[in-house]
Amino acid sequence: MDFPSLLRNPADWMTKSGPNGDIVVTSRVRLARNLKGMAFPGWSLKDDRSAVLQGLRSVIEGLPGMEDAFSRELKDLDAIRKQVLVERHLISREHAAKSVGSAAIMNPQQTLSIMINEEDHLRMQAILPGLQLHEALAAIDIVDSGVERSVKYAFDPKWGYLTACPTNLGTGMRASAMLHLPALVLSEQINQVVQAVNKIGLTVRGLYGEGTEALANLFQISNQSTLGESEREIIARLERVILQVIDHEKNARQKLAVEKPELLRDQIGRAYAILRHAHILGSKEALNLLSMLRLGIDLGFFPSEQRSLTDMLLMEIQPAHLQIEAKRKLSSEERDHLRAEILRRKLKNLPSPGISSGEEPGAGSN
Amino acid sequence: MDFPSLLRNPADWMTKSGPNGDIVVTSRVRLARNLKGMAFPGWSLKDDRSAVLQGLRSVIEGLPGMEDAFSRELKDLDAIRKQVLVERHLISREHAAKSVGSAAIMNPQQTLSIMINEEDHLRMQAILPGLQLHEALAAIDIVDSGVERSVKYAFDPKWGYLTACPTNLGTGMRASAMLHLPALVLSEQINQVVQAVNKIGLTVRGLYGEGTEALANLFQISNQSTLGESEREIIARLERVILQVIDHEKNARQKLAVEKPELLRDQIGRAYAILRHAHILGSKEALNLLSMLRLGIDLGFFPSEQRSLTDMLLMEIQPAHLQIEAKRKLSSEERDHLRAEILRRKLKNLPSPGISSGEEPGAGSN
């Protein structure tokens, strides 16, 4: 699969909806694995890294489900194309900085994505729409078992899978869900929720992982510890918490709809209006407006089939996507113009929220 | 004329356009006069004030052009109604604080407005649309001469008309124009212009006179000195400066249209969009959005017949007007809701700026 095809075919999670899709955008599970007897990528010599890459690449490309995969050594992708993969959550920011000796492989649906020679020899991820952590684990487990039939993993009976960073030791698993929590933000309860989740040993992060800001009211909740519990136990615990956060968000939405209907209409009406009529839109503002549009869809202000459009736009208005669209490097100012233009064009046929004529929108999904 | 009629009939300056009406909203000339041999209102006893009031009121009501005038002693108007007169520039904020012994009289077109027992016995104002300072002087001159046929003014051959405050001594005249200068604000040249105007002995103020903020990009330019020159000389000097400021604003508009067309489209598009779809709008934000809408009209983004609608809305969304509309006292939050509702309703049929479909609007009025 070539890059233009990858770009043309949005990832499954962008076009399909999953359980609790009004609040959970994606579920991800990634496994870190290393080959027995080989130095971790950060410590290994160039030739060893290349040998690991060649070996693993052919194993992964040969797995069932990886027919017509997008598979590239990172030296063969320019900075903007690598950044597109980051924006789609297919590779990490750290991996995008790598070149010779590292590779990225993903299936055409972009539900499976494998990084070779990131921090570990293998980082394998499954990403699915909605709340599907167990399903994502099952999907990546198949890849993991497939690889293990051909190679020997670095594994210790006491410590489990050995990883470059001790925080991944044991299961080597990081499971996470991306939650859209606009009502908890609007009603100023989000800090409380984040603190509570942190207290019980889970981590809350922004849109692009560690150290990133919570843009578009999107929050990633993931397990912190990888040791001492089975994968299934970790995910079950994570899912219980996520279901509670979903409940909090639903309650906050209902409460806002009852107590502050004008605030909701104002925020959603403005988002609709500005997205349709602005000519200069920074990334942060645009993401936050799309968040309000998504909330509007959930609350019945807009038809629900618009949700995937919103999720796709969240990707398409990001810097690297814009520059691919423009087929050249763009200044920040040029990006702000193109971003506004794309949003105006793609949202041209979005029906008015019907709130300016005083009509009552549907009661929403609660 | 009763209050509801006054309210229903917008002032001439709100519905009609005058010379340079794209930039000059109104021209005003007011004269301060006192009766010979009577203490100034601030020093006089209640009975003397009442005698002055009764005498002047009957004289003014009898003048030609003042048939069916709106004439009230201020004790007969509640705080909100007095505030409506302030918002329409018909009486001063100071006058609205007065009650027994003070009155306001205005003709049905609201081009002439006379305050009795404000700081002086008489404050007589003519207000006209566009740049019509000489015409405003002529209009108020007729009133002034009419009054003088019946009363004797306090006048000193050396000092001219005597006034309670020495800053009004001489002609007793304050002439001013309200200018809409969005392009000078957008291009950050406004401070320079304000400083230059101040240096040559004129004053620049915000929407509601002394000490008020420049809301909606509206600036009042007026003469500072009232002494040592004739009324005509003062106005000629003021007008020359105003014409220069108009030129600066026109140049700034042209420059923006050429150098930053996207900034203009963005500001005007957002203003249109937010005014049509917001549900909560503070006074300051609404005034600034209406300013951008007015600029859009001047630049050909909207039909020019919409300009008077904008000028009327500038009044109608102000706190006292809103409370008259609601027929009750409103909290700040309730006002923000009603303001947004009125704007959505009144601008419902405003055609889209046509900029979201990528069409080029007309080149504008330059």
Side-chain angles (χ1 to χ4, degrees):
Chain A
M1 177 178 233
D2 60 7
F3 191 83
S5 309
L6 179 85
L7 203 70
R8 260 199 317 279
N9 296 316
D12 260 17
W13 69 264
M14 288 159 73
T15 55
K16 297 182 181 164
S17 186
N20 289 292
D22 52 344
I23 294 174
V24 184
V25 184
T26 57
S27 296
R28 280 199 284 170
V29 175
R30 75 109 172 97
L31 303 174
R33 298 287 185 260
N34 289 280
L35 302 186
K36 191 182 169 104
M38 304 294 285
F40 293 137
W43 283 264
S44 64
L45 298 171
K46 197 178 157 192
D47 284 353
D48 289 343
R49 254 205 332 271
S50 284
V52 167
L53 170 62
Q54 299 318 324
L56 284 175
R57 196 168 170 182
S58 66
V59 167
I60 289 164
E61 288 176 3
L63 292 176
M66 296 304 276
E67 299 84 7
D68 195 25
F70 175 84
S71 170
R72 291 288 182 288
E73 190 171 345
L74 294 184
K75 74 171 171 60
D76 298 328
L77 285 173
D78 61 23
I80 289 185
R81 283 178 174 74
K82 285 192 279 192
Q83 190 55 33
V84 164
L85 300 181
V86 173
E87 290 173 358
R88 291 210 180 175
H89 302 289
L90 293 166
I91 67 173
S92 64
R93 286 186 297 174
E94 293 72 20
H95 205 47
K98 298 193 185 297
S99 174
V100 179
S102 292
I105 309 175
M106 51 211 73
N107 65 344
Q109 303 85 337
Q110 297 155 54
T111 51
L112 301 171
S113 173
I114 293 99
M115 296 185 276
I116 302 179
N117 286 333
E118 201 240 28
E119 186 181 281
D120 297 298
H121 292 143
L122 272 176
R123 288 279 178 106
M124 305 175 286
Q125 155 189 288
I127 180 167
L128 296 175
L131 184 58
Q132 300 196 70
L133 289 166
H134 290 290
E135 291 80 354
L137 175 63
I140 205 60
D141 198 39
I142 292 172
V143 175
D144 186 39
S145 307
V147 174
E148 212 173 1
R149 271 192 285 277
S150 307
V151 305
K152 196 109 183 116
Y153 284 147
F155 183 84
D156 179 273
K158 187 181 168 196
W159 294 108
Y161 292 103
L162 302 180
T163 53
C165 178
T167 57
N168 292 310
L169 208 60
T171 57
M173 182 189 79
R174 188 83 61 207
S176 69
M178 177 81 74
L179 275 67
H180 184 230
L181 306 175
L184 287 175
V185 173
L186 277 177
S187 57
E188 297 174 4
Q189 296 176 68
I190 191 69
N191 285 339
Q192 221 176 309
V193 170
V194 167
Q195 278 167 24
V197 171
N198 280 331
K199 252 186 208 160
I200 51 176
L202 299 174
T203 305
V204 185
R205 291 171 175 154
L207 183 51
Y208 285 100
E210 212 161 342
T212 63
E213 210 180 342
L215 290 166
N217 301 313
L218 289 170
F219 297 83
Q220 274 188 55
I221 303 184
S222 62
N223 62 307
Q224 190 148 34
S225 107
T226 54
L227 203 60
E229 283 175 299
S230 75
E231 288 85 347
R232 252 160 253 288
E233 283 168 342
I234 293 172
I235 283 183
R237 198 159 54 86
L238 181 62
E239 195 176 72
R240 272 197 305 276
V241 173
I242 288 169
L243 286 169
Q244 282 180 16
V245 175
I246 291 172
D247 262 354
H248 280 303
E249 169 67 18
K250 284 192 173 169
N251 285 338
R253 291 183 184 186
Q254 208 148 26
K255 214 164 165 228
L256 278 177
V258 172
E259 292 175 9
K260 298 188 176 173
E262 286 299 292
L263 175 70
L264 276 182
R265 287 169 188 216
D266 186 61
Q267 293 282 319
I268 293 165
R270 281 172 186 254
Y272 169 84
I274 296 173
L275 287 167
R276 293 271 317 261
H277 290 281
H279 281 245
I280 301 174
L281 266 173
S283 172
K284 196 171 160 178
E285 183 186 9
L287 287 171
N288 287 331
L289 294 173
L290 284 173
S291 163
M292 282 301 122
L293 206 60
R294 198 182 204 273
L295 177 63
I297 292 162
D298 296 343
L299 295 178
F301 284 77
F302 307 102
S304 61
E305 57 268 27
Q306 303 288 344
R307 192 181 295 136
S308 69
L309 174 62
T310 311
D311 289 345
M312 275 200 280
L313 286 172
L314 277 176
M315 295 296 110
E316 289 178 16
I317 60 165
Q318 299 205 36
H321 276 80
L322 291 177
Q323 298 181 76
I324 289 286
E325 164 89 12
K327 297 186 174 64
R328 64 183 182 88
K329 209 166 155 34
L330 298 174
S331 69
S332 159
E333 201 183 346
E334 289 173 322
R335 290 203 299 273
D336 291 352
H337 291 174
L338 180 57
R339 185 178 291 117
E341 193 217 303
I342 289 174
L343 286 164
R344 287 201 312 279
R345 177 156 36 87
K346 295 267 174 122
L347 294 172
K348 210 167 83 173
N349 297 321
L350 183 66
S352 150
I355 49 182
S356 59
S357 58
E359 284 163 41
E360 197 72 29
S365 54
N366 288 320
Chain B
M1 179 180 231
D2 60 7
F3 190 84
S5 307
L6 179 85
L7 203 71
R8 260 199 317 278
N9 296 316
D12 259 18
W13 69 265
M14 289 158 73
T15 56
K16 297 181 181 163
S17 187
N20 289 293
D22 53 344
I23 293 174
V24 184
V25 184
T26 57
S27 295
R28 280 198 285 168
V29 175
R30 75 111 170 97
L31 304 174
R33 298 288 184 260
N34 288 280
L35 301 187
K36 190 181 169 110
M38 305 294 286
F40 293 137
W43 283 264
S44 65
L45 298 172
K46 197 179 156 193
D47 285 353
D48 290 343
R49 256 207 329 275
S50 283
V52 167
L53 170 62
Q54 299 318 324
L56 285 175
R57 197 169 169 181
S58 65
V59 167
I60 289 163
E61 287 177 2
L63 292 177
M66 295 304 276
E67 298 85 6
D68 196 24
F70 176 83
S71 172
R72 291 287 183 287
E73 190 171 344
L74 294 183
K75 73 172 172 60
D76 299 329
L77 286 172
D78 61 24
I80 289 184
R81 283 179 174 75
K82 287 192 278 193
Q83 190 53 34
V84 164
L85 300 181
V86 173
E87 290 173 358
R88 289 208 182 176
H89 302 288
L90 293 168
I91 68 172
S92 64
R93 285 185 300 174
E94 293 72 18
H95 205 47
K98 298 195 186 297
S99 172
V100 179
S102 294
I105 308 175
M106 52 212 71
N107 65 344
Q109 303 86 336
Q110 298 156 54
T111 52
L112 302 170
S113 173
I114 292 98
M115 296 185 277
I116 302 178
N117 286 334
E118 203 240 27
E119 188 180 281
D120 298 297
H121 293 141
L122 273 175
R123 288 280 179 105
M124 304 175 287
Q125 155 188 290
I127 181 167
L128 295 175
L131 184 58
Q132 299 197 68
L133 288 167
H134 291 289
E135 291 80 354
L137 175 62
I140 204 62
D141 199 37
I142 293 172
V143 175
D144 187 36
S145 307
V147 174
E148 213 174 1
R149 271 192 285 277
S150 308
V151 305
K152 197 108 185 116
Y153 284 148
F155 182 85
D156 178 275
K158 183 177 172 200
W159 293 108
Y161 292 101
L162 302 179
T163 53
C165 178
T167 57
N168 292 312
L169 209 59
T171 56
M173 184 189 76
R174 186 83 62 211
S176 69
M178 177 82 74
L179 276 67
H180 185 231
L181 306 175
L184 288 175
V185 172
L186 277 177
S187 58
E188 296 174 6
Q189 297 176 68
I190 190 70
N191 286 339
Q192 223 176 306
V193 170
V194 167
Q195 277 167 24
V197 172
N198 280 329
K199 251 185 207 158
I200 51 175
L202 300 175
T203 306
V204 186
R205 291 173 174 153
L207 184 51
Y208 285 100
E210 213 162 342
T212 64
E213 210 181 342
L215 291 166
N217 301 312
L218 289 170
F219 296 83
Q220 273 187 56
I221 303 184
S222 61
N223 63 308
Q224 189 147 36
S225 105
T226 53
L227 203 60
E229 282 176 299
S230 75
E231 289 86 347
R232 253 162 251 287
E233 284 167 340
I234 294 172
I235 283 182
R237 197 158 56 86
L238 181 63
E239 195 176 70
R240 273 197 304 277
V241 174
I242 287 169
L243 286 168
Q244 282 180 16
V245 175
I246 291 172
D247 263 355
H248 280 302
E249 170 67 18
K250 284 192 173 170
N251 286 338
R253 289 183 186 187
Q254 210 148 27
K255 213 163 166 228
L256 278 178
V258 172
E259 292 175 11
K260 297 189 177 173
E262 286 299 292
L263 175 70
L264 276 182
R265 287 169 189 215
D266 187 60
Q267 293 282 319
I268 293 165
R270 281 172 186 253
Y272 169 83
I274 296 173
L275 287 167
R276 294 269 318 259
H277 289 283
H279 281 247
I280 301 174
L281 266 173
S283 172
K284 196 171 161 177
E285 183 185 9
L287 287 171
N288 288 330
L289 294 173
L290 284 172
S291 163
M292 282 300 122
L293 207 59
R294 198 182 204 272
L295 177 62
I297 291 162
D298 296 342
L299 295 178
F301 285 77
F302 307 101
S304 63
E305 58 269 27
Q306 303 288 343
R307 193 181 295 138
S308 68
L309 173 62
T310 312
D311 290 345
M312 275 201 280
L313 286 172
L314 276 176
M315 295 295 110
E316 288 178 17
I317 61 164
Q318 299 205 34
H321 276 81
L322 290 177
Q323 297 181 75
I324 289 285
E325 163 89 11
K327 298 188 173 63
R328 65 183 182 88
K329 207 164 157 37
L330 299 174
S331 70
S332 159
E333 199 183 347
E334 289 171 323
R335 291 203 298 272
D336 291 352
H337 291 174
L338 181 56
R339 184 178 292 115
E341 194 217 304
I342 289 174
L343 287 164
R344 287 200 314 279
R345 180 157 34 88
K346 297 264 173 124
L347 295 171
K348 210 167 84 176
N349 297 321
L350 182 67
S352 151
I355 49 183
S356 58
S357 59
E359 284 164 42
E360 198 72 28
S365 53
N366 287 323

